[in-house]
Amino acid sequence: MRDDTRRWTEADKRHCWHPFTPQAAWTAGEPLVIVRGEGAWLWDSEGRKYLDGNSSIWTNIHGHRHPALDEAVRRQLGDVAHTSYLGFANPRASELAEKLCAFFPAGTLERVFFSDDGSTAIESAMKMAIQFRQLTGEAGRDGFIAFDQAYHGDTLGAASLGGVSRFHDRFRKHGAEVTFVAGMDALKDLPGEVAAKAAAVVIEPLIQGVNEMRPWPAGMLRELRQWCDATGVQLILDEVMTGFGRTGRMFACHHEDVIPDYLCLAKGLTGGYLPMAAMLTTGRIYDAFLGDDSRAFYYGHSYTANPLGCAVALASLGVFETEQTLERLQPMIARMAERLARLKAGHPRVHEIRQCGFVAGIEIRQADGTPFPAAEHFGARVCTAARDHGLLTRPIRDTIVLMPPLCTGPDELDHAVSALDHALATT
């Protein structure tokens, strides 16, 4: 181990606290220290090279050190790194809001509320939905409907929408009032008084991420929009993971031509460069907040509409156009399906492949189809073994996530699947 690696890991173990990480196990191990990236690749402090198989926790879009994105940050630094958005505007935020709204038909999603991350995008949508009801004479509609095994973030309001017990149960009583349903049939069977009391329903469109990458049935999102229209329940779409090309379209809701009341974006918004979020909503909702001070939306963050984040987000949207990212992605989506089908055919422990666009979950079970005992952490062991073959990714329980940057080429995708192949064979 190099001296600098040892120094960094020792300082980490003494002082750092990692998210979603049992710290006792972490401090007993030898963590990788990532020091450099380029394209779809990352290097650790020991000089080893890995494909970024989960896009640095689902954020990176066009690859690391993309020249256009790097230049956008440098150019903005030449002007100013940050200015307040409370009482002031800035050019990049104005341009970015205009670009985001242009992805949707005129007169639909036409207002953008910026914040810091996916959790705060959801939080702002929840608060806005509640206040909208108060301002329009429906103060009793303050509940929410969410789906079993959903994940929408970890701030207290967003966490209350989460259906994953190990993440959210200990905080359940401190959040919003939420009714959970398994799917559309259960939603339609809810007592009328539940829908009548609900401000909004929240969903990850097309595919649930933390629920081991489980896609929704085709047409479900359109059916949900129709149910909302019939009941007066507003629709919040959590596209924190699915936005910006992951599903093969710019946004997942484009697949079924659905316009939500609130659209929450983060992760890939800046191409994976800087923390930033945006929540889009309609002119009708915005207009309800107009008037005297008592109607204002008193919610925000110090780094709202940070100029650096807005600049690199604009550059990322530009790369989608100049590099024809979505067009180039289509054959890669097909290649991923073909390569993962071959992986499943070659390994009896690959129980199921779940894919939506350029996002895949590879569920591992015992050869007889039963799950591995949780204490074995089999998925984590496979991912650790994959490092020896040049792939970094993380499991969700025993489902291995494969979600590389959209810039990943055919040979790089083959490398990722081959690494999983070797890891499965040796674990």
Side-chain angles (χ1 to χ4, degrees):
M1 181 185 290
R2 297 176 181 177
D3 288 343
D4 54 2
T5 302
R6 182 175 293 105
R7 176 168 55 86
W8 290 327
T9 56
E10 287 175 355
D12 182 293
K13 291 180 180 183
R14 282 196 305 269
H15 301 295
C16 298
W17 193 337
H18 291 258
F20 292 96
T21 301
Q23 285 295 124
W26 172 266
T27 55
E30 293 299 331
L32 292 185
V33 180
I34 302 300
V35 297
R36 185 165 71 89
E38 185 170 349
W41 297 89
L42 295 168
W43 283 260
D44 70 14
S45 57
E46 297 291 293
R48 294 171 296 215
K49 178 182 178 182
Y50 311 89
L51 190 88
D52 189 356
N54 74 348
S55 295
S56 294
I57 211 65
W58 313 355
T59 62
N60 194 277
I61 298 292
H62 304 293
H64 302 276
R65 292 181 57 201
H66 191 287
L69 276 63
D70 286 4
E71 176 57 26
V73 175
R74 284 193 292 265
R75 188 167 57 248
Q76 183 60 42
L77 279 172
D79 293 332
V80 65
H82 181 63
T83 59
S84 173
Y85 207 56
L86 281 71
F88 303 97
N90 75 67
R92 303 294 87 79
S94 301
E95 294 163 359
L96 179 57
E98 186 175 46
K99 284 274 190 184
L100 290 173
C101 292
F103 284 108
F104 300 92
T108 59
L109 298 177
E110 53 188 14
R111 293 286 173 173
V112 179
F113 188 87
F114 291 109
S115 62
D116 297 353
D117 55 34
S119 228
T120 58
I122 291 290
E123 200 86 12
S124 61
M126 293 176 70
K127 287 190 171 183
M128 197 172 285
I130 290 172
Q131 187 170 338
F132 174 83
R133 300 296 186 176
Q134 294 170 347
L135 296 175
T136 56
E138 295 183 296
R141 298 194 79 155
D142 57 0
F144 291 89
I145 301 171
F147 290 86
D148 293 347
Q149 303 304 312
Y151 174 86
H152 296 289
D154 298 306
T155 54
L156 202 55
S160 65
L161 301 173
V164 181
S165 59
R166 60 178 172 155
F167 296 158
H168 304 308
D169 275 3
R170 68 179 70 240
F171 308 111
R172 187 76 62 201
K173 69 179 182 179
H174 301 289
E177 180 181 335
V178 182
T179 300
F180 288 93
V181 294
M184 280 306 305
D185 288 343
L187 183 66
K188 292 176 179 177
D189 288 341
L190 284 176
E193 57 267 25
V194 175
K197 195 176 184 304
V201 59
V202 188
I203 191 171
E204 302 159 85
L206 294 197
I207 182 171
Q208 285 185 313
V210 173
N211 189 17
E212 302 180 68
M213 298 297 165
R214 295 189 186 276
W216 292 110
M220 184 266 204
L221 189 61
R222 189 179 300 113
E223 190 177 3
L224 177 58
R225 176 72 270 184
Q226 293 167 351
W227 181 88
C228 288
D229 292 341
T231 59
V233 176
Q234 291 183 332
L235 176 60
I236 301 173
L237 293 189
D238 178 349
E239 292 229 28
V240 171
M241 180 194 78
T242 58
F244 302 101
R246 295 289 183 197
T247 66
R249 302 284 298 274
M250 185 59 78
F251 301 111
C253 59
H254 285 162
H255 287 272
E256 298 189 9
D257 296 321
V258 166
I259 306 293
D261 299 285
Y262 308 89
L263 177 68
C264 299
L265 307 172
K267 289 194 182 290
L269 174 60
T270 66
Y273 269 52
L274 289 165
M276 188 176 189
M279 189 273 291
L280 280 63
T281 191
T282 66
R284 173 175 172 263
I285 291 170
Y286 174 82
D287 287 347
F289 290 75
L290 301 179
D292 62 29
D293 292 355
S294 67
R295 302 181 77 84
F297 187 51
Y298 290 113
Y299 179 82
H301 299 268
S302 300
Y303 284 88
T304 293
N306 168 254
L308 287 174
C310 291
V312 75
L314 282 164
S316 177
L317 294 177
V319 170
F320 272 100
E321 296 177 9
T322 59
E323 297 187 359
Q324 297 184 302
T325 301
L326 296 179
E327 291 81 0
R328 288 191 303 102
L329 188 61
Q330 304 312 310
M332 291 300 298
I333 292 171
R335 189 182 188 96
M336 175 183 275
E338 184 269 331
R339 287 305 312 268
L340 291 178
R342 286 165 53 187
L343 180 75
K344 183 178 187 301
H347 288 280
R349 290 184 296 191
V350 176
H351 175 72
E352 186 174 54
I353 304 293
R354 296 185 286 271
Q355 183 180 348
C356 178
F358 210 48
V359 175
I362 302 141
E363 186 179 354
I364 310 301
R365 291 190 181 185
Q366 298 183 82
D368 64 0
T370 58
F372 283 95
E376 290 191 16
H377 302 290
F378 193 80
R381 287 163 49 201
V382 172
C383 290
T384 299
R387 295 179 183 180
D388 294 334
H389 304 281
L391 174 68
L392 291 184
T393 190
R394 284 174 62 90
I396 304 169
R397 300 186 185 91
D398 286 338
T399 294
I400 298 164
V401 175
L402 185 60
M403 189 194 304
L406 305 190
C407 67
T408 303
D411 291 344
E412 293 168 325
L413 181 60
D414 291 351
H415 169 89
V417 179
S418 178
L420 289 175
D421 190 353
H422 289 298
L424 283 163
T426 57
T427 302

